[in-house]
Amino acid sequence: MTKSPLQIARAQYAPKLPKSLRNNSVVIVDGEKTQSVADQADIEKLFPHTYGMPLLSFEGSDASVELPVANVGVILSGGQAPGGHNVISGIFDGLKKLNPNNKLYGFLGGPGGLVDHKYMELTADVIDEYRNTGGFDIIGSGRTKLEETWQFDKGVEICKELDINAVVIIGGDDSNTNACVLAEYYLEQNTGVQVIGCPKTIDGDLKNDMIETSFGFDTACKVYSELIGNIMRDANSAKKYWHFIKLMGRSASHIGLECALQTQPNICLISEEVAEKKQTLGAVVTEMANVIAKRAANGENFGVALIPEGLIEFIPEMKTLISELNDLLAEGHDSANEFKATPKADRLEWVANHLSDASSVVFRSLPAGIATQLTLDRDPHGNVQVSKIETEKLLIEMVEVKLAEMKEAGSYAGSFSSQNHFFGYEGRCAAPSNFDADYCYSIGFTASVLIAQGKTGYMSSVRNTTAPAEEWIAGGVPVTMMMNMERRHGHMKPVIQKALVELDGKPFLAFAAKRDEWAEMTSFVYPGPIQYWGPSEVCDLTTKTLIEERK
Ligand code: FBP
């Protein structure tokens, strides 16, 4: 592999660990017994062996202890997030410190690797190639869900064959939910295989009192903010375009909010607020058009608007429309066959005529391109692929129509020329920032300690992350503590509660206090690229979200 100069130099970076992990060994301190965030009786019943375990924190010790050999298997699950390779190198270094004969295996291509028995041993040579790099390519990732007993049993088979005592699952809320079910099952079956989770996702929606942030969020937001800042400077130089930028992040708007706090755009929509205010698509468009008109009145026919990926699903009328479309066009339904038999040119009209009156009005108000996307771009189950809907283009088209109406009515006299962008994949595999490099390495190292101490059903936790790394608090949190019951595919299931943007939370309030000023004035901030070397106040910065939350 030909390496870039940055990659070569960055390989030498020694990630910073919390003080407790720098000592010869670690003593585990049991904290309070825990309860799930909600539905305690149901969760306890479903997880009799792993429910109610205590919080754990680590203290460093000078005693040198060599523990018995423990082989570990690691899985990368779901979307890529910067720092995954450092979690793995943290696990590796932690295991080798505990006993040089410990081995680390990587299951290939995500959770499916455990089931299909596809794996490789991760030796020092392999690990060294990937230290401090972005991507999940060391072993690959995948989205197979570990939900069925036969999958768990296949997992045990390979663990027995390789003498694996523990499996570490690096994933988001769903993957860690499955990790918890796996831990419970392995304990109940007395398999001797422990399961530890690590909190991953650029979306930032796997967090709670004990998990301050999921890894990758920091780097991804820094990459997007750099790009947004560059676009802002371009907009402010040419003064002729409005840039509508959709940001990845699935349902939650954490990425949009963080990028807004870093760059101070003219508009940033927050899906959770749109839902809370029960805004219609028309109301969102009017709000945007009003900002554009206000800036035009000041002679500023340019600006930047940030749009979270999940917006569409949070607009109540769109949610209803999407659900009606899912029913109408579901694979195998008579209506879906009728739709397919309808000549292409008549299909939109056919759909409009088969929706409820309210949804039909919304559907007819959509630009034809988006309406077509909603009816034709479907996943294998016939569901609308919400994340593929080009919301940024939809909003541009609707804002154009609104501005034309306003011009007609005399309330707008500017010019509107637009550019659209989608930032997502370009941030998911960036070389991890110092924060993510350190945080991930610490999370991985922590996982190795939890394993050595025989723990299972825990998520690796590193807290106090706005302090210097030395003061970070490493430990473990029972995954059952994060769970509640939710309806999924028609059944109540135990799942980790997804963290959406809290409208009474400090990050949102900090944004809300400034957004009117940012809308009217040009207050852009240009964060520039991630810095890996240089003054700590530049290189070791955490996200604004974390800083606000911990104020
Ligand atoms: P995870 O939840 O698995 O971390 O994935 C995050 C994410 O990047 C979302 O922001 C995005 O909607 C999705 O993955 C895209 O998935 P895919 O890589 O399958 O296109």
Side-chain angles (χ1 to χ4, degrees):
M1 192 202 308
T2 309
K3 291 184 184 166
S4 68
L6 176 79
Q7 211 177 323
I8 294 165
R10 190 65 180 158
Q12 304 307 316
Y13 178 74
K16 301 186 264 305
L17 278 175
K19 206 166 155 199
S20 61
L21 297 176
R22 296 181 192 182
N23 288 59
N24 280 342
S25 57
V26 173
V27 174
I28 292 207
V29 181
D30 278 14
E32 287 168 34
K33 295 242 177 234
T34 57
Q35 292 213 337
S36 58
V37 277
D39 309 310
Q40 290 83 9
D42 290 329
I43 304 287
E44 181 166 14
K45 209 159 138 199
L46 290 164
F47 296 91
H49 300 86
T50 50
Y51 188 84
M53 298 187 299
L55 291 168
L56 304 174
S57 59
F58 297 169
E59 275 175 14
S61 154
D62 286 336
S64 43
V65 246
E66 185 159 315
L67 290 160
V69 174
N71 293 342
V72 171
V74 63
I75 297 171
L76 288 163
S77 181
Q80 285 69 250
H85 290 161
N86 272 29
V87 179
I88 294 180
S89 57
I91 300 172
F92 180 85
D93 291 349
L95 285 178
K96 291 290 178 190
K97 187 175 167 188
L98 289 161
N99 187 321
N101 295 320
N102 286 343
K103 283 186 185 167
L104 179 63
Y105 292 95
F107 288 105
L108 306 179
L114 178 75
V115 180
D116 301 335
H117 299 185
K118 297 205 170 114
Y119 64 89
M120 67 184 277
E121 189 185 340
L122 296 169
T123 56
D125 287 355
V126 179
I127 295 284
D128 288 349
E129 283 292 299
Y130 289 91
R131 288 181 191 272
N132 307 310
T133 58
F136 279 6
D137 42 324
I138 185 169
I139 49 173
S141 186
R143 291 198 184 276
T144 304
K145 291 194 186 309
L146 290 180
E147 286 176 319
E148 312 276 343
T149 311
W150 69 267
Q151 296 174 308
F152 303 168
D153 293 339
K154 290 291 283 178
V156 180
E157 258 176 42
I158 189 67
C159 288
K160 294 287 166 224
E161 195 179 314
L162 299 174
D163 223 357
I164 286 177
N165 312 59
V167 175
V168 180
I169 298 183
I170 303 173
D173 52 341
D174 281 345
S175 308
N176 274 289
T177 293
N178 296 340
C180 191
V181 176
L182 194 65
E184 175 70 27
Y185 180 79
Y186 282 175
L187 208 52
E188 181 206 74
Q189 298 285 313
N190 216 2
T191 60
V193 181
Q194 303 154 239
V195 183
I196 299 293
C198 290
K200 170 236 72 167
T201 180
I202 61 160
D203 301 350
D205 56 7
L206 172 48
K207 64 173 172 180
N208 48 56
D209 289 347
M210 304 308 294
I211 302 293
E212 291 177 359
T213 186
S214 56
F215 78 77
F217 177 69
D218 183 87
T219 308
C221 288
K222 281 176 178 154
V223 171
Y224 303 142
S225 296
E226 179 207 348
L227 299 176
I228 294 164
N230 294 350
I231 283 176
M232 286 172 160
R233 207 139 208 176
D234 195 274
N236 199 15
S237 304
K239 301 194 189 295
K240 63 177 182 183
Y241 290 129
W242 263 91
H243 294 266
F244 279 40
I245 305 173
K246 183 170 84 167
L247 292 165
M248 204 179 235
R250 217 182 276 281
S251 303
S253 308
H254 297 293
I255 291 183
L257 178 57
E258 172 62 25
C259 291
L261 292 169
Q262 286 195 30
T263 61
Q264 306 188 177
N266 308 105
I267 298 172
C268 174
L269 302 176
I270 301 294
S271 307
E272 292 83 344
E273 186 184 25
V274 169
E276 169 82 13
K277 290 183 173 169
K278 299 192 172 46
Q279 280 185 299
T280 59
L281 187 55
V284 172
V285 167
T286 303
E287 205 173 272
M288 295 181 94
N290 285 342
V291 171
I292 293 166
K294 210 174 221 178
R295 285 180 62 77
N298 296 338
E300 309 221 295
N301 288 298
F302 67 94
V304 169
L306 304 185
I307 300 145
E309 179 177 51
L311 178 74
I312 285 289
E313 283 176 283
F314 283 76
I315 298 175
E317 60 182 10
M318 290 299 290
K319 203 173 169 180
T320 310
L321 169 63
I322 289 170
S323 128
E324 284 186 29
L325 285 172
N326 285 344
D327 286 345
L328 190 66
L329 303 175
E331 224 26 73
H333 283 194
D334 290 349
S335 50
N337 297 333
E338 211 181 299
F339 170 77
K340 279 186 200 149
T342 306
K344 280 202 172 125
D346 302 333
R347 282 185 180 174
L348 293 185
E349 191 53 31
W350 182 92
V351 169
N353 290 334
H354 285 77
L355 293 167
S356 66
D357 289 351
S359 290
S360 175
V361 171
V362 179
F363 188 73
R364 286 180 201 279
S365 76
L366 298 175
I370 299 292
T372 308
Q373 214 174 2
L374 277 172
T375 50
L376 293 182
D377 250 359
R378 319 187 69 79
D379 71 12
H381 308 287
N383 291 330
V384 172
Q385 292 188 281
V386 182
S387 67
K388 295 219 169 126
I389 296 170
E390 293 171 313
T391 329
E392 67 287 17
K393 291 189 186 163
L394 164 73
L395 290 172
I396 285 175
E397 284 194 47
M398 295 187 79
V399 161
E400 265 168 0
V401 172
K402 182 74 197 171
L403 289 173
E405 284 169 19
M406 289 166 73
K407 202 167 248 182
E408 189 91 2
S411 53
Y412 169 64
S415 62
F416 178 72
S417 191
S418 64
Q419 298 287 346
N420 61 77
H421 315 261
F422 169 44
F423 296 154
Y425 298 97
E426 43 278 83
R428 293 204 313 187
C429 282
S433 61
N434 282 358
F435 176 83
D436 270 329
D438 298 346
Y439 184 59
C440 290
Y441 188 74
S442 302
I443 285 176
F445 213 97
T446 298
S448 72
V449 174
L450 292 169
I451 292 165
Q453 301 277 345
K455 304 296 175 191
T456 189
Y458 275 86
M459 191 182 287
S460 180
S461 146
V462 172
R463 294 182 293 123
N464 199 28
T465 51
T466 46
E470 177 163 292
E471 293 163 36
W472 289 357
I473 302 165
V477 189
V479 182
T480 49
M481 185 186 175
M482 304 168 201
M483 290 199 152
N484 69 164
M485 300 297 291
E486 286 177 24
R487 185 167 289 281
R488 298 275 169 98
H489 307 296
H491 301 284
M492 291 308 281
K493 290 226 160 193
V495 293
I496 294 180
Q497 211 173 44
K498 205 183 258 305
L500 298 178
V501 168
E502 287 175 8
L503 301 181
D504 55 357
K506 289 179 184 162
F508 178 79
L509 293 177
F511 160 71
K514 299 299 272 186
R515 66 176 152 186
D516 290 346
E517 182 187 322
W518 298 346
E520 206 171 336
M521 318 294 293
T522 299
S523 318
F524 301 154
V525 173
Y526 314 115
I530 294 177
Q531 300 296 310
Y532 300 98
W533 295 274
S536 178
E537 67 271 22
V538 180
C539 301
D540 298 328
L541 261 184
T542 52
T543 55
K544 300 251 180 209
T545 304
L546 258 183
I547 294 170
E548 289 296 333
E549 277 171 350
R550 295 191 52 79
K551 260 185 187 168

